[in-house]
Amino acid sequence: MSSESLQQLILESLDKNGSINDTRSLVLPGQLELATSHDSQITILGALNSLLSRDMIKYDSHEVFSYILSPEGAQIAKEGSHEARVWAALPAKGQGAPMSPAQLKEKVGDATAKVGQGNAFKQKWIAKEGDGLVKAVDSIKDVTQLDLQEIASNGDLKSGEKVLADLRKRKLVVQRKGQWFTVHKGVNFSTSIAKPETDLTAEMLASGIWKTSTFKKYNFEAEGIPPAGGALHPLLKVREEIRNIFLEMGFAEMPTSSFVESAFWCFDALFVPQQHPARDLQDTFYISDPVKSLPPESSYYRRVSAVHEHGGYGSTGYRAPWSHEESSKLLLRTHTTASSTHMLYKLAARCRGEEVEGDEKEFTHGAKSTTAHGEPSTDDGFRPAKLFSIDRVFRNETMDATHLAEFHQVEGVVADRGLTLADLIGFMRVFFNKMGIEKVRFKPAYNPYTEPSLEIFAFHPMLNKWVEVGNSGMFRPEMLEPMGFPKDVRVHGWGLSLERPTMIRYGINNIRTLLGHKVSIEGIENSAAVMF
């Protein structure tokens, strides 16, 4: 049955009779019986709405309630009630040995025996004889089965609401809400169901057919399809939460917009040797055009190259030839510590006797620092600072479930006089506690630009094991003193990736489903807000 044939039937019935008083009186195309079923009325409703949208008809809805059998009710309608089956299984009184309850269960089943015995006793259909059961009457009338058969046939019961209420209570029938309709002619009534045009096309204008065409009425009050709004990626949600933790702890955010850095700022200024394997092409993305960076400030450059090649500031250096070509290479930064190094160099400007301008003036704390014993230090221009950044870095990695060539690094830096390793561990514990990570361990490690260095491990309750969550350390004098910092100034640094806590928070085990072309847009839109 097509929708068009049903619409045509409705329009012809209206044209003939003026109205349709009850759509249950219709016989649908291809059917032999009246459309009294729920499914038939749903089909008619679809045709009515289509005609109503063109103002060809108008209709009123009427509710009707009917009943259908539950699975248990259907079984009783077919096989008889539990009590009737119990009665049928027992021997007549005086015509055989009484049946024990155990034998009855075996014959009719536990459920039927349990329910049926009580109802059969209540209706005095069965009786006890010794330790067994027998029939108490010669014949019975299974009213429950007859009522359910009537409901299955008519959807209702003549016996009344009381019996229906009892059957609903026993979960043998289910009430179903239905509807039927009265239909009248609309302002645009016609027996033709030709659909009006929805668009004015160039072909219609060229041929002139638009002059005789009927167009669908435009609904200016329709809300239309809601536009797809933007949604924050899970990484951005976790980033904002971590950012708020830093701000709450009194940190200032560093500018980190320089994705392209020179090897000098990414490695040399951090006292990473020019022969370090991390500087190989297999680990770092180098820029082919332009090949070289602009030179850094000359006196600082000389101090850095000297401490690498010959030592100084209490260090013997690396005793390896210094390469200007290696230092001037351009690359995609491998860590945001390159930006931290820029900022630390600017913070040391006052200590070098230079005027403090721009960002570094904003990020230094106004009060003078004190010595390790709490006494005011001499004013050599140094001011304490607490800085952080969260931004992208790039590594020439082999991509797998936990590695991409691009990821986000979260970094914090604290500069003050007389800081110790205990202070660093204290910072770490407070920071990770605010992230909801209470169980934290530290393991000695090696970094070229920090000494001592610590790897940070946290207990993962879902994995039930300790996992590495970050790295930390105290920047070496070979890095800080060439910048111009006083000898008693210490700088803490620690970092972690943004992707790992995000994957843990959202239960993601493959980073390629967090970032990249495999990411589910619907998953991003429905991802829950994060709160540590």
Side-chain angles (χ1 to χ4, degrees):
M1 177 186 60
S2 66
S3 174
E4 288 78 7
S5 61
L6 179 53
Q7 292 176 32
Q8 191 67 57
L9 171 66
I10 294 171
L11 294 175
E12 290 176 355
S13 299
L14 286 173
D15 188 48
K16 180 179 178 181
N17 303 315
S19 65
I20 301 174
N21 295 325
D22 189 341
T23 51
R24 292 175 296 183
S25 64
L26 296 175
V27 178
L28 302 186
Q31 304 292 323
L32 299 176
E33 300 177 351
L34 296 177
T36 56
S37 70
H38 175 74
D39 292 340
S40 295
Q41 293 301 308
I42 291 297
T43 303
I44 290 173
L45 177 60
L48 294 177
N49 284 332
S50 180
L51 295 172
L52 179 66
S53 67
R54 289 175 268 170
D55 291 328
M56 298 179 73
I57 60 112
K58 52 186 178 180
Y59 70 86
D60 298 310
S61 299
H62 307 275
E63 289 185 348
V64 62
F65 294 95
S66 61
Y67 298 87
I68 58 173
L69 303 185
S70 67
E72 183 182 2
Q75 182 183 11
I76 290 175
K78 181 179 179 181
E79 301 176 5
S81 65
H82 297 299
E83 52 269 30
R85 278 180 273 170
V86 166
W87 177 87
L90 297 179
K93 189 173 183 179
Q95 296 184 9
M99 184 178 292
S100 68
Q103 291 173 323
L104 179 63
K105 285 183 180 181
E106 185 177 347
K107 190 167 184 178
V108 301
D110 288 350
T112 297
K114 182 178 180 181
V115 176
Q117 280 186 73
N119 290 338
F121 272 119
K122 187 176 180 180
Q123 299 190 54
K124 299 181 180 180
W125 289 356
I126 63 174
K128 288 191 70 174
E129 189 174 285
D131 293 332
L133 301 171
V134 295
K135 292 178 179 176
V137 294
D138 295 333
S139 63
I140 61 171
K141 182 179 180 181
D142 192 354
V143 177
T144 301
Q145 182 184 28
L146 295 174
D147 288 343
L148 291 175
Q149 289 175 346
E150 181 181 347
I151 292 171
S153 176
N154 303 326
D156 206 349
L157 189 62
K158 294 180 180 179
S159 303
E161 183 60 33
K162 185 176 180 181
V163 177
L164 282 169
D166 181 62
L167 293 175
R168 287 202 305 271
K169 185 177 180 181
R170 293 170 63 182
K171 298 183 179 180
L172 300 180
V173 299
V174 178
Q175 188 181 61
R176 184 168 66 176
K177 180 181 176 180
Q179 55 186 344
W180 56 275
F181 312 94
T182 54
V183 188
H184 307 279
K185 294 179 180 179
V187 294
N188 294 331
F189 177 78
S190 170
T191 55
S192 171
I193 60 171
K195 291 186 177 179
E197 300 291 343
T198 56
D199 294 303
L200 181 64
T201 65
E203 291 78 9
M204 296 171 69
L205 291 172
S207 64
I209 195 174
W210 64 272
K211 298 178 182 178
T212 57
S213 298
T214 303
F215 289 91
K216 184 177 180 180
K217 186 178 179 181
Y218 194 89
N219 183 6
F220 288 95
E221 296 181 358
E223 294 182 355
I225 300 175
L232 287 177
H233 191 280
L235 272 176
L236 294 180
K237 295 179 181 179
V238 176
R239 181 193 184 281
E240 187 62 21
E241 191 66 19
I242 294 177
R243 183 175 181 272
N244 288 335
I245 291 173
F246 274 117
L247 295 175
E248 181 184 320
M249 294 177 69
F251 283 72
E253 189 167 8
M254 292 182 284
T256 53
S257 57
S258 300
F259 289 174
V260 176
E261 285 284 4
S262 68
F264 175 82
W265 287 108
C266 198
F267 298 120
D268 294 335
L270 275 73
F271 198 60
V272 177
Q274 293 191 331
Q275 299 77 24
H276 196 279
R279 301 174 71 147
D280 290 342
L281 190 62
Q282 290 83 359
D283 294 285
T284 303
F285 291 109
Y286 285 95
I287 306 299
S288 60
D289 186 19
V291 177
K292 294 184 178 181
S293 67
L294 295 174
E297 192 270 320
S298 58
S299 60
Y300 177 53
Y301 180 80
R302 287 195 299 270
R303 291 195 297 272
V304 172
S305 62
V307 76
H308 273 255
E309 191 170 8
H310 307 294
Y313 312 103
S315 170
T316 60
Y318 291 117
R319 303 290 175 168
W322 175 264
S323 170
H324 297 286
E325 180 182 358
E326 179 69 27
S327 185
S328 63
K329 288 180 178 179
L330 281 173
L331 50 86
L332 293 180
R333 68 181 179 204
T334 59
H335 48 198
T336 53
T337 314
S339 297
S340 304
T341 308
H342 272 290
M343 189 54 59
L344 289 172
Y345 176 72
K346 292 179 180 180
L347 291 176
R350 185 184 281 113
C351 303
R352 299 192 302 267
E354 300 173 8
E355 183 66 25
V356 179
E357 298 178 356
D359 296 334
E360 64 273 20
K361 188 172 184 179
E362 177 185 346
F363 295 147
T364 53
H365 292 237
K368 297 179 184 179
S369 59
T370 59
T371 66
H373 303 288
E375 301 170 353
S377 63
T378 57
D379 190 6
D380 50 14
F382 172 73
R383 296 292 184 272
K386 294 194 292 186
L387 311 172
F388 80 96
S389 66
I390 307 173
D391 212 335
R392 286 183 286 176
V393 296
F394 309 88
R395 305 273 177 88
N396 196 356
E397 299 269 13
T398 299
M399 291 186 288
D400 55 29
T402 56
H403 294 86
L404 291 177
E406 174 185 336
F407 61 96
H408 292 75
Q409 181 176 334
V410 179
E411 181 169 5
V413 174
V414 178
D416 204 349
R417 298 183 190 273
L419 294 177
T420 66
L421 187 64
D423 297 317
L424 174 62
I425 293 175
F427 263 112
M428 292 298 92
R429 292 194 183 278
V430 172
F431 177 78
F432 283 101
N433 187 267
K434 288 180 178 291
M435 287 183 62
I437 301 175
E438 298 180 357
K439 296 182 179 180
V440 180
R441 286 179 179 175
F442 302 92
K443 175 185 175 183
Y446 168 76
N447 288 319
Y449 47 90
T450 58
E451 178 61 35
S453 305
L454 296 172
E455 289 178 345
I456 310 165
F457 291 81
F459 186 77
H460 194 316
M462 295 175 63
L463 300 177
N464 197 31
K465 67 177 184 180
W466 292 87
V467 295
E468 185 180 353
V469 293
N471 211 323
S472 63
M474 299 179 68
F475 287 120
R476 298 175 68 103
E478 295 97 323
M479 172 185 167
L480 299 178
E481 292 188 35
M483 293 179 176
F485 283 112
K487 288 184 177 295
D488 60 346
V489 170
R490 302 288 183 266
V491 179
H492 292 159
W494 73 93
L496 62 149
S497 77
L498 184 63
E499 283 76 6
R500 175 162 289 184
T502 303
M503 292 171 69
I504 292 174
R505 170 63 181 79
Y506 288 96
I508 298 171
N509 57 15
N510 191 325
I511 195 171
R512 288 169 290 195
T513 61
L514 177 67
L515 292 169
H517 65 282
K518 293 185 178 181
V519 175
S520 166
I521 299 299
E522 183 180 354
I524 291 177
E525 291 175 345
N526 297 331
S527 61
V530 63
M531 181 174 291
F532 294 123

